[in-house]
Amino acid sequence: MTLTLSKNIDDQDAAYAALIGAHQGLSEAQSIALNARLLLILCNQIGDMDIIKQAIQLASKDN
Amino acid sequence: MAFDYKPFDYVSPPGLHSAEPRHPVVIVGAGPIGLAAALELANHGVPSVVLDDNNVVSVGSRAICWSKRSLEILDRIGIGEACVAKGVTWKVGRTHHRAQEIFNFDLLPEAGHKMPAFINLQQYHVEQMLVERCIESPFVELRFKNKVVAIEQCDTEATITIETPEGTYSLSAEYLLACDGARSPLRAMMALDFEGELFEERFLIADIEMEGEFPSERWFWFEPDFHNGQSALLHKQPDNIYRIDLQLGWDADPEKESDPKRIIPRIEKVIGHSDFKLDWTSIYTFQCRRLSRFVHDRVIFVGDSAHIVSPFGARGGNGGLQDVDALGWRFAAVVQGRASPPLLEQYNTERTFGADENLLNSSRATRFMSPSAGAERWFRDATLALASHADFARPMVNSGRLSIPCIYPLTAPDVSMMPTQTRPGATAIDAPIEDGWLLNRLGGQMLVLVIGCKAPEGITLPVLTLEPTPEISARYLGDAAYGIYLVRPDQVIAARWQDIEAQAIQEQANAIWEGRA
């Protein structure tokens, strides 16, 4: 399996708004914790370790 | 070259000398929305008086991006073709992050439409054309230097007090259309709430005149090297005028930033030279707000007086023209006694829905462009960073989602194998037909569109019968071999069927006129 890089969400603006909306009113520490929980949930949803590794690699590119 | 402002004549209004009979409608505000409303009503045979406190067209280019739907509406009132001839046609937008183009869009990838996706044309040109058209119209009476200073209303009419250079008089009208702009004095006089969000951001907007070779595209930059981590927009207008928007940040001092000595070096950095003239500048902040209701008994709010949005997405002026589209036919039917006032409630329902879609899109774009510190900023920066490595992130980059008509949530007969883009609630899509263009033929009447079959026997509504050309099939039939559409006077699809009797179509049309559908 390879990581999906093409658009895979119909309404990307709504998804983006939901993400930043979830952070509204949180402190920085709370936001970081929320992101961490969210990532763990999404990794579990993906399930495929190969995909997760590729995603980590892509996300690490800009560090 | 800079616009040559020619003041319009003040004419002594009859009401100063003796009381005028009650008018069916007085329109307050001779901006693009008030003037377009007057001409739309004129198309339906409704005379109006248009008042404006000023006597020149818009100072500065202000609204410059006119959408395809706006051009179709302007075409119906006689200036669409002139706007396209004068304007700069564009359909491609390019979004950059730093020095790299990360995303581009083509707003009208297919042929077979009379009007382009967008044109850029200074608001003053559009207003000038509208004023000239109003002067030609026997239905429109323009009164410049007529400032409304008070309003009262009862069950049957609204009465306003008007100041002129010669003194004060009053007028009464069955209805008043408040087209008096974002700072609507009428809204203030009626003490109506304006609800929504204010954004803490300042932008510098500048029109410059230069002999340039920039393409007819919308260019947007996030964090360009030439503007210190902020965002910038460059857009071409006619007459060698270019619009430049520069994000300044909330801390910027508007007074200091208005000084040409500060503005000119900023612009030199954008375009890379100093061979230009400043034509007009303004510093603005954003609001995304609306009235909770647009219809207040005898006073109806239209355009910016009813809703204001941030400018990214061109949803202000275009949204206002869509208000005019939704109001005109209903309003004419009510004042001419062909329908009862509840029909106006449908204007309120549909345009508050349309305004909410515009507000949602505008505030999302604003949040992306001007994120608050913390998570909003992290996600914004992450999206921009990913955009250079991953396709999916590119369309997430939001520099404004450009105005398209909303699809009204109608409950009406539909055929599932026909295209979703022309489902009930959507605006009819143009297509070439034998003797011109579909939208021109639809005009401003309730009409039955019959495609690839015979009109039902005994139909009394106007009928347009079309052969299923490739464009008509793709846009109106989809997987169906034939079909029948009921189209409203604002060219919104009201219902569609395959096999249907004249009686049922008539009943659907009646339901619309009675404000039940």
Side-chain angles (χ1 to χ4, degrees):
Chain A
M1 282 286 281
T2 49
L3 186 66
T4 304
L5 293 182
S6 56
K7 177 174 175 300
N8 193 34
I9 301 175
D10 270 348
D11 189 346
Q12 287 186 304
D13 285 355
Y16 188 90
L19 269 177
I20 62 170
H23 289 269
Q24 201 130 44
L26 301 189
S27 68
E28 188 167 328
Q30 287 171 322
S31 270
I32 291 168
L34 174 71
N35 277 343
R37 289 192 298 270
L38 187 58
L39 279 173
L40 291 170
I41 293 165
L42 294 177
C43 281
N44 180 64
Q45 177 67 35
I46 292 163
D48 185 329
M49 197 54 217
D50 249 13
I51 297 283
I52 293 169
K53 278 185 178 162
Q54 289 174 59
I56 291 171
Q57 211 171 16
L58 174 63
S60 303
K61 263 194 178 166
D62 282 290
N63 281 348
Chain B
M1 100 212 112
F3 187 74
D4 180 18
Y5 288 94
K6 292 198 180 76
F8 303 116
D9 293 336
Y10 162 77
V11 179
S12 199
L16 262 180
H17 313 290
S18 61
E20 293 181 40
R22 186 171 78 181
H23 294 271
V25 54
V26 169
I27 297 172
V28 182
I33 304 309
L35 295 166
L39 291 168
E40 173 71 4
L41 293 181
N43 270 354
H44 291 286
V46 176
S48 62
V49 175
V50 183
L51 309 175
D52 199 276
D53 58 354
N54 205 340
N55 65 342
V56 284
V57 293
S58 131
V59 173
S61 59
R62 297 172 67 188
I64 62 164
C65 294
W66 305 91
S67 71
K68 178 172 184 283
R69 184 60 196 153
S70 290
L71 293 169
E72 290 162 355
I73 296 165
L74 293 172
D75 199 24
R76 229 168 46 210
I77 57 178
I79 68 157
E81 290 176 13
C83 285
V84 175
K86 176 73 188 167
V88 170
T89 293
W90 66 276
K91 57 177 191 164
V92 172
R94 298 186 190 280
T95 304
H96 307 79
H97 182 215
R98 305 212 170 96
Q100 191 195 357
E101 180 183 321
I102 48 170
F103 177 56
N104 65 61
F105 53 80
D106 183 340
L107 293 163
L108 193 61
E110 59 176 27
H113 300 262
K114 179 177 180 183
M115 291 298 171
F118 265 94
I119 64 162
N120 283 354
L121 182 60
Q122 297 89 330
Q123 184 172 329
Y124 45 72
H125 283 308
V126 175
E127 286 184 14
Q128 185 73 35
M129 290 182 208
L130 287 167
V131 166
E132 285 166 14
R133 190 84 191 166
C134 285
I135 289 169
E136 285 167 17
S137 170
F139 289 99
V140 184
E141 188 191 337
L142 297 175
R143 296 186 186 181
F144 296 102
K145 293 272 179 196
N146 275 241
K147 182 185 178 184
V148 178
V149 291
I151 172 169
E152 51 186 276
Q153 55 171 326
C154 63
D155 286 351
T156 53
E157 63 186 33
T159 303
I160 47 178
T161 309
I162 300 159
E163 267 178 22
T164 74
E166 296 176 282
T168 299
Y169 72 107
S170 71
L171 273 188
S172 50
E174 282 177 59
Y175 288 93
L176 210 60
L177 301 190
C179 306
D180 53 349
R183 294 193 188 90
S184 173
L186 277 172
R187 197 178 65 220
M189 285 174 218
M190 293 171 67
L192 296 173
D193 287 339
F194 216 36
E195 297 157 356
E197 261 183 305
L198 294 147
F199 290 94
E200 295 196 335
E201 182 59 87
R202 286 185 211 283
F203 267 73
L204 164 70
I205 184 169
D207 277 358
I208 60 165
E209 190 183 339
M210 66 170 174
E211 307 275 336
E213 287 304 314
F214 287 96
S216 301
E217 297 177 343
R218 175 188 195 260
W219 284 16
F220 194 95
W221 293 267
F222 287 99
E223 305 180 318
D225 300 331
F226 59 74
H227 187 51
N228 201 22
Q230 305 270 26
S231 61
L233 174 70
L234 178 69
H235 229 170
K236 187 179 186 173
Q237 305 172 53
D239 312 327
N240 285 328
I241 308 277
Y242 289 79
R243 161 72 62 83
I244 293 169
D245 284 39
L246 292 172
Q247 187 179 19
L248 296 177
W250 184 238
D251 300 335
D253 176 347
E255 209 163 302
K256 246 167 61 188
E257 295 296 344
S258 309
D259 184 353
K261 283 200 206 88
R262 281 184 72 88
I263 294 174
I264 287 168
R266 286 193 188 281
I267 292 171
E268 283 171 346
K269 282 170 124 183
V270 181
I271 57 174
H273 60 77
S274 53
D275 191 14
F276 64 88
K277 270 199 319 220
L278 266 188
D279 184 59
W280 170 70
T281 64
S282 166
I283 306 269
Y284 64 91
T285 57
F286 304 131
Q287 297 186 20
C288 287
R289 305 170 77 188
R290 75 163 169 92
L291 283 171
S292 57
R293 286 183 53 79
F294 297 172
V295 178
H296 289 263
D297 304 316
R298 295 279 155 174
V299 183
I300 300 171
F301 288 82
V302 191
D304 281 356
S305 67
H307 44 73
I308 48 174
V309 292
S310 64
F312 301 96
R315 288 169 180 267
N318 292 309
L321 284 176
Q322 286 162 31
D323 292 348
V324 171
D325 207 12
L327 180 63
W329 60 284
R330 294 182 164 115
F331 187 82
V334 170
V335 294
Q336 290 168 339
R338 292 181 284 117
S340 61
L343 186 58
L344 296 175
E345 192 56 27
Q346 295 288 339
Y347 164 76
N348 186 68
T349 305
E350 289 191 349
R351 291 317 299 164
T352 50
F353 175 85
D356 282 341
E357 187 170 303
N358 288 332
L359 286 161
L360 183 70
N361 278 289
S362 303
S363 44
R364 282 176 180 173
T366 307
R367 277 183 199 292
F368 195 89
M369 220 167 301
S370 184
S372 56
E376 251 180 46
R377 177 98 212 177
W378 306 337
F379 277 101
R380 198 293 286 268
D381 289 351
T383 306
L384 288 173
L386 277 173
S388 45
H389 312 304
D391 278 348
F392 80 87
R394 285 170 201 151
M396 291 177 87
V397 172
N398 191 344
S399 71
R401 304 290 184 225
L402 286 147
S403 174
I404 45 169
C406 66
I407 293 177
Y408 297 120
L410 301 186
T411 311
D414 191 8
V415 179
S416 61
M417 64 178 148
M418 290 181 179
T420 54
Q421 60 175 348
T422 41
R423 68 183 181 270
T427 301
I429 294 171
D430 205 7
I433 56 173
E434 208 172 298
D435 47 354
W437 295 98
L438 176 59
L439 291 190
N440 286 151
R441 276 300 303 278
L442 293 178
Q445 58 186 335
M446 187 83 77
L447 179 141
V448 181
L449 183 60
V450 177
I451 305 168
C453 59
K454 272 197 181 152
E457 218 160 300
I459 191 97
T460 51
L461 287 161
V463 172
L464 174 62
T465 306
L466 297 178
E467 288 306 311
T469 62
E471 288 91 351
I472 293 290
S473 287
R475 291 166 200 176
Y476 288 90
L477 293 181
D479 295 327
Y482 59 95
I484 295 172
Y485 280 72
L486 178 64
V487 186
R488 298 190 331 200
D490 54 1
Q491 304 178 334
V492 168
I493 309 288
R496 57 185 181 180
W497 304 268
Q498 279 218 285
D499 300 292
I500 188 73
E501 289 178 2
Q503 180 64 24
I505 301 176
Q506 189 60 55
E507 275 165 21
Q508 190 71 27
N510 294 346
I512 293 165
W513 287 118
E514 287 160 21
R516 291 185 283 115

